[in-house]
Amino acid sequence: MTTPELALTIRLNTSASDTRRGVVRLHPEALAALGLREWDAIALVGARRTAAVAAVAPAGTPTGTILLDDVTLSNVGLGENATVVALPVTVYGARSVTLSGSAMATGSISETTLRQALLGKVLTIGDTVSLLPRDLGPGTSTASTSQALSRTFGVSWTTELLTVTAVDPAGGPVSVQPNSAVGWANASATTAAPTVTAPESEPAPSSPPTTTPETPPVPTENLLGAQSQVAKLTEWLRLALDEPELLATLGASAHLGVLVTGPAGVGKATFARAVLAGRSTVEIDGPGAGALESDSRLKRVSTAVERVRRGGVLLITDIDALLPATTEPVSALIVEELRKAVDTPGVAFVATSAHPESLDPRLRGQDLCDRELALTLPDATTRRALLDLLLRKVPTTDLHLDEIASRTPGFVVADLAALCREAALRAASRAGTSEADPSIEQADLVGALDVIRPLSRSGTEELAIGSVTLDDVGDMVEVKQALTEAVLWPLQHPDSFSRLGVEPPRGVLLYGPPGCGKTYLVRALASSGQLSVHAVKGAELMDKWVGASEKAVRELFQRARDSAPSLIFLDEVDALAPRRGQSSDSGVGDRVVAALLTELDGVEPLRDVVVLGATNRPDLIDPALLRPGRLERLVFVPPPDADARVEILRASGKSVPLADDVDLEKLAAELDGYSAADCSALLREAALAAMRRSIDAADVTAADVASAREKVRPSLDPEQVAHLQAYADGR
């Protein structure tokens, strides 16, 4: 497929909110032509190639114009009124970013502040970037970052320009994320020391200067959905640090090491800082320390351990970046340093990680992190409360937050903040063209749902849900009823299943000829139940490396558990789980099937997660996958008959202005052998035929439909349909 690109005329962006912030603005039609959504990354090719964040231009901006600030103009190597080529670009979250700057900047700005200033920016090696932070929306004000920069660097921080010297992954633009390691090219000589919070009366240490977190911790009562975890960690800290003699009386040590886990963006570091507020805390930024050389990494941990041994808590955020599951020699030395800290009376150790499976296993030993707290994704009630908290100080009108909460399964706090920000941008755009006071409306939040993608679904395909429900599916009464009973009822009425002693089905297999609406049914089902959908096509989980495929299966099911209630959709499941013992792929297929069987019916229960497979070759699937307790409900999706084709044509033709001479019932009777996809394609082709007849055509006539039938032929294979029907009858 050819990558779309546009040649656009450069105009200088003078907006104060965009100045030097790495944001370019285009006309909505230009964004659509490039296949981009607002706040996606965009590549710019001029005298050199760079990348930025794309946003919608103000009303009145010509379609062929792109608005760039002076820094982006410098990065692309062009001037105003020149022509730049814009095209989509794939951007990965940065593992690390290294920058160079003035001696004053590198000596006074900490890595934590530097990362906060660059959050959300898209960077390429060689780019110039400013310290002016992007406004990330409601709940994520940049005021604290700006204050920290002013306090440590003075008023000149707004004019300071840095140069990107290295990024990881290399080879393309990267986006700065909350867990990215961002540092200076000479970091070991400037900001190698850990973050520390200590009493004001304590004398200044002789080692390199340290800083305290610029953003004050949130009150623990604002940690919605995590109050039980707050109570546990608070109690553990009280016993270990404040009342160790009580434990000693009972013959127990005051040792305390806690690993806080949870999906990315759920607020693990925020949770830890909130609970630890008021205690002497030494903090290490895991990604920042992990990006250093081995000696510097060990020195940073050793310095932190020496400081915390005076008493307090050692906090390491995203510790998987500092101690990955490798055999690197320095890891053993770091683990030994952490053991020294935990063994010191009056010292506790808290670490956070979004990827505990990638941690050095020694960290989870009884002599280090002997306790674990898991933060889960917020449920609908918690999401409702979080939305209310994020919008508490924002002018709003007639909001129905319960509806938004029900339509955001799998969203973490960061996702909800991004949703509010997108809604605020829409409200600001509307207010800019009217004299009304700016306020967020329900339509702004609903529209933002089409733009914001939750972090919990990263790595899986997104299904477009929300636009169709099971009621929009033409005919298929028996199929819809079977799916409702097998998928929606267990999630919506668990009390009824418990009362009647019925174990809900773990999974459902949809099978039928191609084009008969299996994927469409899944999309409608997910929308009807407001489920988080994790979709995988065919053999996407297959990997040539030993163990990688099984790991991908485990991670898929773990993401589904974290975002429950959720639906795992395995499209073309026959390619993913073929009969074992008949493949020539060195056993990869057999191991994937075994991993699927274990996840579906293993020791760890699969609660509030339904697995839905789709195939047109059910006879090729491993039989063990189809027994009770796994994909136990087999639902045949037959080719549409005449009555079903009428319903399909009516549903597909809702937005098509059909002339009075178009008889859908007569047309449906003549479309024998047409699948649901063929019927929809027929109406699309008829609309195009009407446009060929006249670009100003107001409706689609019977002649247009007849013309379309000459191009859209039935795709159903009679032999395959007969085979599948026989398979269904045999069961």
Side-chain angles (χ1 to χ4, degrees):
M1 181 183 296
T2 304
T3 302
E5 60 180 47
L6 291 177
L8 302 170
T9 302
I10 296 174
R11 293 287 185 270
L12 184 64
N13 187 355
T14 58
S15 171
S17 61
D18 291 342
T19 299
R20 296 186 169 191
R21 285 173 168 84
V23 176
V24 302
R25 293 192 175 271
L26 302 85
H27 192 280
E29 292 182 6
L31 283 174
L34 293 171
L36 297 176
R37 293 183 289 191
E38 191 170 22
W39 310 115
D40 280 349
I42 185 172
L44 303 174
V45 182
R48 67 182 295 272
R49 184 184 180 111
T50 187
V53 176
V56 174
T61 303
T63 307
T65 296
I66 182 170
L67 304 180
L68 276 64
D69 60 32
D70 56 344
V71 171
T72 309
L73 278 173
S74 173
N75 288 335
V76 81
L78 298 175
E80 193 173 5
N81 298 321
T83 299
V84 65
V85 175
L87 63 157
V89 64
T90 300
V91 173
Y92 298 96
R95 286 192 288 269
S96 66
V97 176
T98 305
L99 304 102
S100 63
S102 66
M104 183 177 178
T106 56
S108 58
I109 301 176
S110 70
E111 295 177 357
T112 301
T113 303
L114 184 61
R115 180 172 61 246
Q116 292 297 324
L118 300 181
L119 270 181
K121 294 189 178 183
V122 177
L123 307 179
T124 306
I125 293 179
D127 276 358
T128 298
V129 61
S130 77
L131 289 169
L132 290 167
R134 280 185 53 197
D135 184 3
L136 299 179
T140 55
S141 171
T142 61
S144 59
T145 303
S146 300
Q147 292 169 4
L149 288 166
S150 298
R151 185 169 60 249
T152 59
F153 193 51
V155 295
S156 59
W157 74 270
T158 58
T159 58
E160 177 74 13
L161 295 179
L162 315 176
T163 301
V164 181
T165 59
V167 298
D168 182 22
V174 299
S175 173
V176 179
Q177 304 294 312
N179 61 346
S180 299
V182 181
W184 300 109
N186 53 343
S188 60
T190 56
T191 56
T195 300
V196 61
T197 302
E200 294 182 359
S201 60
E202 186 177 16
S206 58
S207 51
T210 59
T211 58
T212 56
E214 287 80 10
T215 304
V218 302
T220 54
E221 56 267 22
N222 287 355
L223 298 175
L224 303 177
Q227 290 305 310
S228 62
Q229 292 90 334
V230 168
K232 285 183 180 180
L233 184 55
T234 302
E235 179 69 7
W236 293 343
L237 290 168
R238 182 182 66 81
L239 291 174
L241 301 182
D242 302 336
E243 301 180 15
E245 66 281 354
L246 180 60
L247 292 173
T249 302
L250 298 172
S253 69
H255 167 280
L256 180 61
V258 183
L259 178 63
V260 181
T261 63
V266 80
K268 299 177 292 297
T270 301
F271 163 82
R273 293 182 186 120
V275 177
L276 296 177
R279 294 185 180 274
S280 177
T281 304
V282 175
E283 180 177 334
I284 297 178
D285 176 38
L292 300 176
E293 296 295 332
S294 298
D295 292 344
S296 299
R297 198 185 320 165
L298 179 59
K299 182 179 179 181
R300 174 169 292 194
V301 175
S302 300
T303 303
V305 170
E306 286 302 316
R307 290 178 178 278
V308 81
R309 291 179 77 174
R310 305 171 187 174
V313 183
L314 174 61
L315 171 63
I316 303 182
T317 58
D318 294 307
I319 195 172
D320 47 277
L322 176 64
L323 280 176
T326 63
T327 57
E328 195 175 4
V330 72
S331 296
L333 300 176
I334 291 176
V335 169
E336 187 58 33
E337 288 292 331
L338 296 178
R339 288 193 182 114
K340 289 181 184 178
V342 175
D343 290 341
T344 303
V347 173
F349 172 49
V350 179
T352 70
S353 175
H355 307 284
E357 71 283 351
S358 302
L359 273 173
D360 189 317
R362 291 170 293 190
L363 187 73
R364 305 173 86 169
Q366 291 299 315
D367 54 348
L368 261 180
C369 292
D370 57 337
R371 306 187 189 192
E372 189 167 326
L373 280 177
L375 300 183
T376 59
L377 293 179
D379 56 18
T381 303
T382 305
R383 292 195 298 272
R384 167 66 173 80
L386 286 170
L387 286 169
D388 185 61
L389 183 64
L390 290 169
L391 297 171
R392 181 174 297 173
K393 298 180 180 179
V394 178
T396 60
T397 56
D398 299 326
L399 294 185
H400 303 286
L401 295 182
D402 289 331
E403 176 191 349
I404 304 301
S406 68
R407 294 183 60 179
T408 50
F411 277 57
V412 294
V413 180
D415 299 325
L416 295 174
L419 184 75
C420 294
R421 175 179 182 274
E422 174 64 22
L425 290 171
R426 291 168 180 264
S429 178
R430 184 179 61 253
T433 59
S434 66
E435 297 181 357
D437 293 333
S439 64
I440 294 179
E441 300 176 358
Q442 182 75 5
D444 299 323
L445 288 169
V446 173
L449 290 172
D450 296 329
V451 177
I452 303 303
R453 289 165 281 187
L455 291 171
S456 64
R457 296 180 210 164
S458 60
T460 57
E461 180 185 346
E462 290 188 56
L463 284 183
I465 64 173
S467 56
V468 294
T469 65
L470 286 177
D471 295 333
D472 299 316
V473 178
D475 199 57
M476 296 190 187
V477 177
E478 295 181 0
V479 175
K480 290 190 291 185
Q481 182 62 29
L483 289 176
T484 300
E485 295 175 2
V487 179
L488 298 185
W489 283 4
L491 299 177
Q492 295 175 345
H493 309 289
D495 52 335
S496 297
F497 281 83
S498 176
R499 184 175 62 254
L500 297 174
V502 178
E503 186 72 21
R506 296 282 179 84
V508 180
L509 177 67
L510 289 176
Y511 68 100
C516 289
K518 297 185 291 295
T519 305
Y520 187 77
L521 274 169
V522 175
R523 186 179 297 116
L525 185 68
S527 180
S528 298
Q530 299 301 334
L531 309 177
S532 174
V533 182
H534 303 264
V536 177
K537 284 186 177 179
E540 284 182 359
L541 297 179
M542 298 294 189
D543 196 295
K544 65 179 180 179
W545 302 108
V546 175
S549 299
E550 301 92 296
K551 180 181 178 182
V553 172
R554 291 195 301 271
E555 291 176 349
L556 171 66
F557 276 79
Q558 187 58 51
R559 283 196 299 268
R561 289 187 180 95
D562 290 339
S563 58
S566 60
L567 178 69
I568 297 177
F569 178 44
L570 306 176
D571 203 3
E572 305 298 341
V573 69
D574 53 284
L576 181 64
R579 290 176 179 266
R580 285 174 288 183
Q582 299 182 6
S583 61
S584 56
D585 56 4
S586 302
V588 175
D590 292 354
R591 294 197 298 271
V592 169
V593 174
L596 280 173
L597 298 178
T598 302
E599 292 292 343
L600 278 167
D601 193 20
V603 175
E604 187 175 0
L606 199 63
R607 295 191 179 95
D608 294 334
V609 177
V610 178
V611 181
L612 191 57
T615 180
N616 52 25
R617 294 298 304 274
D619 52 308
L620 298 183
I621 300 175
D622 190 275
L625 200 63
L626 305 180
R627 75 157 177 80
R630 291 159 184 171
L631 299 184
E632 58 187 77
R633 290 289 299 271
L634 273 67
V635 179
F636 180 48
V637 183
D641 55 19
D643 293 336
R645 290 195 293 271
V646 172
E647 296 296 330
I648 293 168
L649 289 171
R650 285 174 179 165
S652 302
K654 282 183 178 179
S655 58
V656 179
L658 298 174
D660 294 338
D661 60 349
V662 178
D663 187 342
L664 292 182
E665 293 187 0
K666 180 181 178 182
L667 177 62
E670 297 172 352
L671 297 180
D672 189 30
Y674 278 67
S675 67
D678 297 334
C679 293
S680 298
L682 180 65
L683 289 183
R684 287 197 302 271
E685 182 60 34
L688 290 174
M691 293 176 65
R692 296 188 197 103
R693 171 171 52 82
S694 171
I695 197 65
D696 298 321
D699 54 18
V700 176
T701 65
D704 297 326
V705 175
S707 175
R709 288 189 60 184
E710 296 178 1
K711 295 187 176 182
V712 180
R713 311 302 302 171
S715 62
L716 291 177
D717 182 354
E719 292 186 4
Q720 185 181 28
V721 172
H723 174 73
L724 289 170
Q725 186 64 60
Y727 183 87
D729 294 340
R731 298 191 67 85

